[in-house]
Amino acid sequence: MKIAICPGSFDPVTNGHLDVIKRASKLFDKVIVVVMENIKKKNQSSFTLEERMDFINRCTKDLDNVETDSYVGLLADYAKMKEATAIVKGLRAVSDFEDEFQQALTNIKLNPDVETVFITASSEYMYLSSSVVKQVCGYGGNVSDFVPNEILRDVENRLKR
Ligand code: ADP
């Protein structure tokens, strides 16, 4: 069985993330979406790990081969523990590339059994990130095209000032 991991902070999950998760679910037997604490963004999260996992569960309930988890630690160790063969990342633009390239090389150094696979962002979501959702919603803008319907109200309740 080919297992892939989709890691991220998902603070909160966006339509761009969901698009990558759906496309990954067609390529692998099982996809584990793992919510991780980003050391660079620590203590800056708007949602707890549990809330972020719950959001992803609600948006992926129709995808039979997708499950959700959370992990604090090295992704390379998590991949080993889950016997995953791939780490799937979404690439939006050249600006994502340098950091993703560095992470991919680090992860294969730490765990030679796991390949990083990049899925290019769909054109309609190229601009979209969790930070954009926070900024737009924080100033009262409409984010209904940015986050899945299943979580829209919860996201607005937390982020609207
Ligand atoms: P962000 O905070 O930038 O939204 P995450 O750490 O939650 O990012 O992202 C997890 C993964 O999803 C990363 O590989 C990131 O490049 C990818 N990703 C984020 N937004 C999109 C998008 N709109 N389209 C495709 N991939 C995306």
Side-chain angles (χ1 to χ4, degrees), residues 7-10 14 16-17 20 41 89-92 96 100 121 125 128-130:
S9 28
F10 306 106
T14 68
H17 292 129
V20 169
K41 302 180 193 165
K89 305 298 289 286
L91 263 193
R92 280 163 293 196
D96 275 346
E100 292 293 353
Y125 301 129
L128 189 54
S129 68
S130 300

Side-chain angles (χ1 to χ4, degrees), residues 55-154:
F55 286 171
I56 297 164
N57 274 329
R58 278 150 61 183
C59 306
T60 59
K61 60 179 184 311
D62 295 335
L63 302 171
D64 291 338
N65 62 340
V66 174
E67 55 184 67
T68 313
D69 197 6
S70 68
Y71 187 67
V72 180
L74 282 176
L75 183 60
D77 292 341
Y78 182 79
K80 198 171 286 175
M81 186 172 84
K82 294 289 173 181
E83 296 177 348
T85 49
I87 294 170
V88 174
K89 305 298 289 286
L91 263 193
R92 280 163 293 196
V94 184
S95 51
D96 275 346
F97 183 76
E98 201 171 317
D99 190 39
E100 292 293 353
F101 192 67
Q102 193 177 36
Q103 286 183 44
L105 290 175
T106 308
N107 283 326
I108 202 158
K109 177 85 184 160
L110 296 175
N111 177 356
D113 297 325
V114 71
E115 286 291 344
T116 299
V117 175
F118 293 107
I119 290 183
T120 47
S122 296
S123 52
E124 66 264 47
Y125 301 129
M126 272 202 61
Y127 63 92
L128 189 54
S129 68
S130 300
S131 316
V132 164
V133 171
K134 288 185 219 186
Q135 280 171 19
V136 173
C137 199
Y139 289 108
N142 178 2
V143 290
S144 59
D145 284 342
F146 299 170
V147 297
N149 260 330
E150 291 86 343
I151 64 166
L152 179 61
R153 187 171 304 171
D154 287 331

